[in-house]
């Protein structure tokens, strides 16, 4: 993958001289935004701290006309300017901030500059010989709510999950096509979160030629086939890239169990790291088919690799009944708690699988356990896992923490963006 070097400022941000404290009626040919969203008195705190969401309960009034996804000026009850935001009357998150600077109206040129900035920030993360797949734009954390762009070799996969991003599709595609030098852009706006925004699913080609039937990427020396059209998320879990590399370093000589294996990325990393054997479990037959193909693509013999289609919750119990044990276990389940509201049920799920895994771990064995639930904080996850160890009667040492790879950054003022967390434990 090569990202052409472009001047991120080309076209420039439309700068305006600083205005008076009251918002002025900005106009833009792209959005024609003149509507103002007025906050209730005392509900300005989160915007003051630059949190990018305005919840419906914080809104006193909408002054003017704006369609879903259109731009509004967010004002305090005293008329003070706080932000330019994308409005959505159908979502609990009534507005999502594009920009906190009054002089930075989010027109198409501004959008292009933000995308260019996100791509520039990734440039040091690219190593053409090692990895050619990475996330170029990570939504709120790149100042672009609802916009995810993952690059797989020369194919860009775009996911638009909010009304604001959805109605800027054309400008986003034009900017990405020009800035990232990809051959094609495929849309995968089929996340369930779109329903919460009142948006239908949308998939298909947005730019360039149809993707080849199979897209091959490289990740730290391994080859993977990615199904960008039908695979989960945008096709691959790029956020776990660095964690796979770290777990690989511990894999030599170990008997590994990889639960929720998807297309085998952790399994192959462990095999490459010298694991004695890897048993991979996933409920998806399609994912496991691709995992087997990925193994042979990397010349890994079938003998050390076992693939099992099963419900991991059940399979962990069955393995225990069979008196199986392992030296390294990876637990990377899907999101159990999309929001804090789902945390109690999710906590039971995490405790269940972690207890079962700890019982299968030999003394001195390692457990790499993850949660990608925004609704479960790092602290809570640590407590759940500690509770699981106590209930399993296992003494464990916390060896390391895991987070999402740096192409998935998170804003300090936006804790919801810190979704992936993990612990590496050693059973004593
Ligand atoms: N570790 C993977 C990503 C895992 S994504 C990687 O690095 O690529 C979560 C996976 O869990 C998906 O592949 C999904 O098919 C699988 N899954 C979901 N529920 C499951 C269940 N109850 N039992 C087993 N697998 C499940």
């Amino acid at each position: 993958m090569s990202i052409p070097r472009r001047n991120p400022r080309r076209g420039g941000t439309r700068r305006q001289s600083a205005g008076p404290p009251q918002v002025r009626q900005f106009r833009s040919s792209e959005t024609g935004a003149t509507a103002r969203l007025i906050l209730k008195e005392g509900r300005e705190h989160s915007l003051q701290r630059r949190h990018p969401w305005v919840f419906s309960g914080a809104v006193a009034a909408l002054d003017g006309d704006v369609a879903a996804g259109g731009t509004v000026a967010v004002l305090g009850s005293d008329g003070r300017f706080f932000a330019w935001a994308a409005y959505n009357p159908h979502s609990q998150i009534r507005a999502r901030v594009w920009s906190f600077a009054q002089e930075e109206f989010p027109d198409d040129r501004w959008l292009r500059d933000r995308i260019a900035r996100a791509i520039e920030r990734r440039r040091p993360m690219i190593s053409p010989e090692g990895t050619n797949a990475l996330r170029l734009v990570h939504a709120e954390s790149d100042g672009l709510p609802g916009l995810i762009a993952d690059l797989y070799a020369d194919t860009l996969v775009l996911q638009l999950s909010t009304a604001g991003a959805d109605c800027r599709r054309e400008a986003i595609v034009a900017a990405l096509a020009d800035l990232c030098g990809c051959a094609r852009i495929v849309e995968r706006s089929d996340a369930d979160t779109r329903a919460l925004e009142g948006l239908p699913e949308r998939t298909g080609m947005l730019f360039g030629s149809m993707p080849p039937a199979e897209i091959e990427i490289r990740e730290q020396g391994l080859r993977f086939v990615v199904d960008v059209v039908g695979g989960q998320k945008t096709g691959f879990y790029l956020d776990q890239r660095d964690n796979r590399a770290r777990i690989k370093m511990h894999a030599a000589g170990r008997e590994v169990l990889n639960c929720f294996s998807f297309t085998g990325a952790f399994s192959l990393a462990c095999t490459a790291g010298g694991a004695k054997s890897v048993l991979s479990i996933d409920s998806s037959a399609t994912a496991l088919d691709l995992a087997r193909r990925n193994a042979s693509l990397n010349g890994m013999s079938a003998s050390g690799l076992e693939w099992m289609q099963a419900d991991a919750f059940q399979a962990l119990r069955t393995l225990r009944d069979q008196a199986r044990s392992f030296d390294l276990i990876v637990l990377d389940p899907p999101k159990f708690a999309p929001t804090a509201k789902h945390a109690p049920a999710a906590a039971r799920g995490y405790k269940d699988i972690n207890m079962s895994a700890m019982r299968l771990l030999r003394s001195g064995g390692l457990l790499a356990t993850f949660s990608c639930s925004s609704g479960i904080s790092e602290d809570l996850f640590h407590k759940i896992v500690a509770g699981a160890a106590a209930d399993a009667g296992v003494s464990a040492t916390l060896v390391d923490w895991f987070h999402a790879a740096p192409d998935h950054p998170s804003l300090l003022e936006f804790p919801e963006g810190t979704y992936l967390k993990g612990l590496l434990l050693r059973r004593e």
Side-chain angles (χ1 to χ4, degrees):
M1 169 188 55
S2 69
I3 297 177
R5 194 170 284 280
R6 299 269 158 90
N7 179 1
R9 280 246 154 295
R10 201 176 77 173
T13 301
R14 194 174 72 163
R15 299 265 164 204
Q16 309 264 351
S17 55
Q22 293 284 315
V23 72
R24 295 168 312 176
Q25 298 280 311
F26 279 85
R27 284 185 183 277
S28 144
S29 56
E30 285 83 8
T31 62
T34 53
R36 297 134 64 105
L37 195 69
I38 322 286
L39 299 174
K40 286 182 185 158
E41 201 176 340
R43 297 300 294 268
E44 297 96 354
H45 301 307
S46 69
L47 282 170
Q48 258 157 358
R49 291 197 309 268
R50 297 173 75 86
H51 188 284
W53 292 351
V54 179
F55 284 95
S56 57
V59 174
L62 174 70
D63 174 15
D65 285 331
V66 61
T71 302
V72 291
V74 183
L75 308 182
S77 54
D78 58 356
R80 191 150 52 108
F81 176 89
F82 277 102
W84 295 112
Y87 176 72
N88 187 353
H90 310 300
S91 172
Q92 283 303 307
I93 304 174
R94 199 49 52 93
R96 297 178 191 254
V97 173
W98 290 122
S99 154
F100 287 99
Q102 190 169 352
E103 68 277 17
E104 282 188 13
F105 184 83
D107 60 12
D108 289 352
R109 273 191 280 172
W110 175 92
L111 200 59
R112 182 195 156 90
D113 277 1
R114 268 284 155 102
I115 293 172
R117 187 182 77 176
I119 293 174
E120 276 305 307
R121 287 176 176 176
R122 268 75 174 176
R123 199 173 292 284
M125 300 173 201
I126 301 165
S127 65
E129 63 295 339
T131 297
N132 67 356
L134 84 166
R135 176 155 295 189
L136 293 184
V137 184
H138 188 48
E140 273 84 353
S141 302
D142 280 302
L144 292 162
L147 170 52
I148 298 275
D150 287 343
L151 188 64
Y152 296 108
D154 59 358
T155 298
L156 191 84
V157 183
L158 186 65
Q159 191 172 81
L160 304 173
S161 58
T162 60
D166 195 76
C167 76
R168 307 294 293 271
R169 177 180 281 101
E170 236 173 82
I172 290 168
V173 170
L176 282 166
D178 185 37
L179 290 163
C180 85
C182 56
R184 61 191 67 83
I185 301 181
V186 180
E187 180 163 17
R188 284 295 306 275
S189 300
D190 52 357
D192 347 325
T193 45
R194 272 181 67 99
L196 300 175
E197 290 273 309
L199 298 168
E201 288 188 1
R202 265 188 78 154
T203 55
M205 292 303 297
L206 291 170
F207 163 77
S209 55
M210 279 295 286
E214 293 185 345
I215 291 175
E216 191 182 311
I217 60 156
R218 286 187 310 279
E219 181 185 273
Q220 287 158 347
L222 291 172
R223 297 163 67 192
F224 293 96
V225 169
V226 177
D227 177 2
V228 296
V229 175
Q232 294 176 32
K233 286 226 285 196
T234 63
F236 200 71
Y237 288 82
L238 296 168
D239 51 359
Q240 289 282 24
R241 180 192 314 110
D242 292 7
N243 301 331
R244 287 191 275 267
R246 285 160 67 194
I247 289 169
K248 173 182 170 185
M249 286 164 43
H250 293 283
R254 295 192 190 255
E255 287 180 51
V256 179
L257 170 64
N258 179 17
C259 287
F260 310 96
S261 61
F262 189 48
T263 55
F266 274 109
S267 311
L268 270 52
C270 289
T271 306
K276 202 156 135 195
S277 64
V278 184
L279 168 59
S280 306
I281 299 175
D282 200 281
S283 56
S284 161
T286 325
L288 289 172
D289 281 346
L290 212 47
R292 284 190 197 91
R293 303 235 338 268
N294 284 332
S296 56
L297 193 63
N298 289 281
M300 292 173 176
S301 77
S303 62
L305 288 161
E306 196 186 333
W307 307 98
M308 185 193 287
Q309 187 193 352
D311 169 34
F313 287 80
Q314 189 51 49
L316 284 162
R317 290 197 179 82
T318 309
L319 289 167
R320 166 97 171 146
D321 293 344
Q322 294 168 346
R324 297 274 302 262
S325 60
F326 299 88
D327 310 299
L328 171 60
I329 300 179
V330 179
L331 291 181
D332 183 23
K335 198 192 296 177
F336 292 161
T339 68
K341 190 176 77 187
H342 306 91
R348 287 193 290 277
Y350 287 120
K351 189 161 179 189
D352 184 342
I353 51 173
N354 279 283
M355 264 173 68
S356 299
M358 283 180 208
R359 290 183 171 133
L360 293 174
L361 211 52
R362 296 184 185 126
S363 172
L366 295 172
L367 170 63
T369 179
F370 296 93
S371 160
C372 61
S373 297
S374 300
I376 301 276
S377 68
E378 196 161 87
D379 184 43
L380 177 57
F381 189 56
H382 179 272
K383 286 196 174 80
I384 295 167
V385 174
D391 286 7
V394 163
S395 165
T397 305
L398 175 55
V399 180
D400 214 343
W401 289 94
F402 297 111
H403 297 102
D407 49 335
H408 299 60
S410 67
L411 286 174
L412 277 186
E413 54 267 28
F414 182 60
E416 294 85 347
T418 316
Y419 66 103
L420 182 65
K421 68 283 299 179
L423 309 172
L424 182 66
L425 304 170
R426 185 180 52 242
R427 181 173 177 169
E428 298 304 338

